[in-house]
Amino acid sequence: MEARRENRELTDIELTENALAVLRKRYLKKNDRGEPVERPVDMFRRVAGNIAEAELKFRDGEEGRALYEEYYGRFLQMMLSRRFMPNSPTLMNAGRELQQLSACFVLPVEDSIDGIYDTLKHQAIIHKSGGGTGFAFSRLRPKNDIVQSTMGVSSGPVSFMAIYDASTDKIKQGGTRRGANMGILRVDHPDIEEFVTCKNDNDQITNFNISVAITDAFMEAVEKDGEFELVNPRNGAVTRRVRARELFKKIAYGAWLNGEPGVVFIDRINADNPTPQFPIESTNPCSEAHLPPYDSCNLGSINLSLFYSEEAGDVDWEELRETVRTAVRFLDNVIEQNNYPLPQIEEMSKGNRRIGLGVMGFADLLIKMGIPYDSEEGLAFAERVMRFIDEEAWEASRALAAERGVFAHYEGSRHEARGDRVRNATVTTIAPTGTISLIAGCSGGIEPLYAVAFMRRQADMEMPDVNPEFVRVARERGFYSEELMKKVAEQGSVRGLEEVPEDVRRVWVTSHDISPEWHVRMQAAFQKHTSMGISKTINLPNEATVEDVERAYRLAYSLGCKGIAVYRDGSREEQVLSTGKTA
Ligand code: UDP
């Protein structure tokens, strides 16, 4: 209680040098000369004020005013204490002219020139405003299929994806970040082989992450080593039969080669789609948000590293409960305050009211708890934390429904079928938190530590930059030495370093020390209690084989994951969006 009261009075935010640099460069409001005209604390005030304004839309007069004041304070404290951060577009744009607050959008791609080029324009509008876009090209007729009106032939999904890619190059997102896209094709599309190999060359379609939408029927055919039919979406005709295992291997080979394509288990995503009246065919660029066409999602993440209570030797569950509830209200308010790039998106987003509350700093919290990431205890802890957050988030959404009503598309939803009156179709999603974890100063999403320490070039000198918590532990346990820190920084991890006590080594594991199987199992543990998807990279060692990738895909499928993305060490120099934090 004491600590909480203290936190309520924060008037500024503690930031690392890196966090400050990122904010100055891309987040803070600037004048014509490009100089920041707000301090970080002003940015958080701007965001808290703008998001709290939604309170005034639901309650008039005194009551509205009081709610505004209360939530302005709560939202501000939640951010200044670094316990919660909304996704980047909210930080950048709330309370400013653009007012575009969402990170993720999905657009339809109809099988017509009008449809394809309308969406191309909509993609540009969304990128300009700072959002990422996802598309499924599955409804497009295959390459060389007939075009009635001209008696010509179609150039196929991959060629149109290349056009979207080229357009992305020209639009810088809100002047702040490069456009990111997800391109998806169903595994039964006749052009699937061209699609899965279209990024084998690293210089192609560089603004897209690509994923294959894998069906249950395909996985069954792989299991049985059977044949699988490729179907023309224009007329339902079977164009070809392929051996499922061969196609599966091609997909795995691409992922082995350079991490592309990933896969999403599309039938499973639809089986859990809370609004089945709007089927899902694609995801956002990092694949955590499963959205029907024209839907959007605004994300926010809780920094778990700050919820360890030393006194209790456990999570401060009360504090976490309060933060989850406030965060859900914050994200529901974002839907009201958002300036949508298209009327269709406004209709769908307000209709479904999808929000995606996630976590970051999970690896940091595990370390404080003394639990290794790659352990049964680690998995059990992950489930416990995420179940708690998910349940509390639903409670908050129910309370909001009582106060403000259920979401407009409630009728026909799975929530209606269960008689569960909630305000939001979804509540939880785990985002990569690429930048906001850097701002909050914690480990990204649910990823293990990227490194315990790394060598940093500073004033022409190579200096070890060591995780401050590790320095603290090293001093406390009496094994600190500059020489050792340098050693850790050179190899990134503490693996095999005898100078570090065994129990410390066991807890301070990095993504490279963890086997693919444990990565997948951790993703599956979080998925059990998450409404939408999980952004997670399954790290493979450089010497991993194509069969290892296949094994990881099968495991992900059998454990109930909604998709999987692997990355083999050293297989690619640059990623469209890197989920881990590199030095
Ligand atoms: N995203 C994007 N461009 C970027 C980074 C992210 O469009 O450069 C979108 C994308 O949909 C991604 C989502 O934002 O899945 C969330 O990414 P992340 O959590 O890394 O964003 P942050 O809020 O930390 O900037």
Side-chain angles (χ1 to χ4, degrees), residues 26-27 85-92 102-105 127 130-134 173 176-181 209 283-289 297 299-301 360 430-439 535 576-579:
R26 297 182 7 217
Y27 291 66
M85 291 286 159
N87 57 206
S88 290
T90 303
L91 288 177
M92 292 169 173
S102 301
C104 326
F105 298 85
H127 284 179
T133 42
Q173 281 182 315
T176 48
R177 47 185 187 176
R178 195 167 65 126
N181 300 288
N209 288 329
T283 72
N284 70 329
C286 299
S287 93
E288 69 276 14
C297 184
L299 309 166
S301 300
M360 53 188 171
I430 297 184
T433 71
T435 320
I436 57 168
S437 63
L438 193 139
I439 295 171
S535 168
V576 176
L577 293 176
S578 88
T579 49

Side-chain angles (χ1 to χ4, degrees), residues 326-444:
T326 310
V328 167
R329 192 174 187 106
F330 181 104
L331 293 173
D332 191 66
N333 282 9
V334 170
I335 298 174
E336 287 308 306
Q337 293 300 101
N338 210 349
N339 182 17
Y340 296 89
L342 296 170
Q344 300 93 309
I345 292 178
E346 175 155 16
E347 203 282 320
M348 191 58 95
S349 306
K350 286 191 169 161
N352 294 335
R353 304 193 76 85
R354 275 183 160 81
I355 59 172
L357 179 63
V359 298
M360 53 188 171
F362 175 65
D364 295 332
L365 176 62
L366 277 177
I367 288 168
K368 289 184 183 165
M369 295 282 296
I371 302 174
Y373 190 97
D374 50 342
S375 68
E376 296 295 339
E377 204 190 346
L379 298 180
F381 181 68
E383 275 200 45
R384 185 167 169 225
V385 170
M386 202 56 214
R387 183 190 302 118
F388 182 87
I389 291 175
D390 196 50
E391 279 173 3
E392 289 301 326
W394 282 124
E395 269 312 313
S397 185
R398 269 175 219 122
L400 280 174
E403 203 182 318
R404 301 174 171 178
V406 292
F407 59 97
H409 296 159
Y410 180 76
E411 209 173 299
S413 74
R414 282 184 217 285
H415 295 292
E416 186 201 36
R418 281 195 299 269
D420 190 11
R421 297 185 62 77
V422 289
R423 174 85 175 146
N424 311 89
T426 65
V427 288
T428 41
T429 303
I430 297 184
T433 71
T435 320
I436 57 168
S437 63
L438 193 139
I439 295 171
C442 62
S443 58

Side-chain angles (χ1 to χ4, degrees), residues 185-187 189-197 212 230 247:
L185 196 71
R186 275 176 72 93
V187 68
H189 192 284
D191 290 1
I192 191 65
E193 280 148 339
E194 185 191 359
F195 179 80
V196 302
T197 52
V212 178
L230 304 187
L247 182 51

Side-chain angles (χ1 to χ4, degrees), residues 23 26-29 38 43-44 46-47 79 84-96 100-101 330 435-436 439:
L23 290 178
R26 297 182 7 217
Y27 291 66
L28 303 179
K29 207 158 141 181
E38 60 180 6
M43 176 187 84
F44 289 111
R46 157 168 67 70
V47 175
M79 292 186 285
F84 168 86
M85 291 286 159
N87 57 206
S88 290
T90 303
L91 288 177
M92 292 169 173
N93 302 335
R96 294 176 63 181
Q100 198 294 97
L101 311 178
F330 181 104
T435 320
I436 57 168
I439 295 171

Side-chain angles (χ1 to χ4, degrees), residues 282-535:
S282 184
T283 72
N284 70 329
C286 299
S287 93
E288 69 276 14
H290 309 145
L291 307 171
Y294 291 125
D295 208 351
S296 70
C297 184
N298 42 275
L299 309 166
S301 300
I302 288 180
N303 175 2
L304 287 175
S305 75
L306 298 176
F307 289 83
Y308 177 69
S309 152
E310 216 157 312
E311 214 174 285
D314 194 1
V315 173
D316 183 341
W317 298 102
E318 271 317 304
E319 186 69 52
L320 184 57
R321 185 194 320 273
E322 191 180 315
T323 306
V324 171
R325 299 218 174 173
T326 310
V328 167
R329 192 174 187 106
F330 181 104
L331 293 173
D332 191 66
N333 282 9
V334 170
I335 298 174
E336 287 308 306
Q337 293 300 101
N338 210 349
N339 182 17
Y340 296 89
L342 296 170
Q344 300 93 309
I345 292 178
E346 175 155 16
E347 203 282 320
M348 191 58 95
S349 306
K350 286 191 169 161
N352 294 335
R353 304 193 76 85
R354 275 183 160 81
I355 59 172
L357 179 63
V359 298
M360 53 188 171
F362 175 65
D364 295 332
L365 176 62
L366 277 177
I367 288 168
K368 289 184 183 165
M369 295 282 296
I371 302 174
Y373 190 97
D374 50 342
S375 68
E376 296 295 339
E377 204 190 346
L379 298 180
F381 181 68
E383 275 200 45
R384 185 167 169 225
V385 170
M386 202 56 214
R387 183 190 302 118
F388 182 87
I389 291 175
D390 196 50
E391 279 173 3
E392 289 301 326
W394 282 124
E395 269 312 313
S397 185
R398 269 175 219 122
L400 280 174
E403 203 182 318
R404 301 174 171 178
V406 292
F407 59 97
H409 296 159
Y410 180 76
E411 209 173 299
S413 74
R414 282 184 217 285
H415 295 292
E416 186 201 36
R418 281 195 299 269
D420 190 11
R421 297 185 62 77
V422 289
R423 174 85 175 146
N424 311 89
T426 65
V427 288
T428 41
T429 303
I430 297 184
T433 71
T435 320
I436 57 168
S437 63
L438 193 139
I439 295 171
C442 62
S443 58
I446 59 161
E447 298 292 356
L449 294 188
Y450 181 78
V452 177
F454 53 85
M455 293 304 282
R456 174 200 289 285
R457 252 192 115 67
Q458 217 159 19
D460 274 341
M461 278 194 342
E462 290 270 329
M463 305 272 286
D465 188 328
V466 191
N467 183 306
E469 178 68 12
F470 186 75
V471 173
R472 198 186 64 76
V473 171
R475 287 193 198 279
E476 201 177 281
R477 298 279 299 266
F479 65 86
Y480 181 90
S481 77
E482 279 186 16
E483 201 187 324
L484 176 63
M485 296 305 127
K486 193 156 170 265
K487 240 188 194 175
V488 177
E490 269 157 9
Q491 75 170 47
S493 93
V494 290
R495 184 165 43 181
L497 293 180
E498 305 259 306
E499 301 92 315
V500 179
E502 155 110 61
D503 63 310
V504 176
R505 262 187 281 161
R506 184 66 191 98
V507 169
W508 284 85
V509 282
T510 67
S511 16
H512 310 278
D513 304 330
I514 294 170
S515 74
E517 186 187 338
W518 281 107
H519 277 284
V520 174
R521 292 182 71 191
M522 187 55 87
Q523 181 181 329
F526 273 95
Q527 185 63 71
K528 280 188 196 164
H529 305 290
T530 303
S531 332
M532 283 197 287
I534 312 268
S535 168

Side-chain angles (χ1 to χ4, degrees), residues 24-25 28-37:
R24 284 207 186 108
K25 197 164 164 212
L28 303 179
K29 207 158 141 181
K30 292 182 182 148
N31 62 18
D32 296 345
R33 292 190 299 279
E35 301 152 348
V37 294

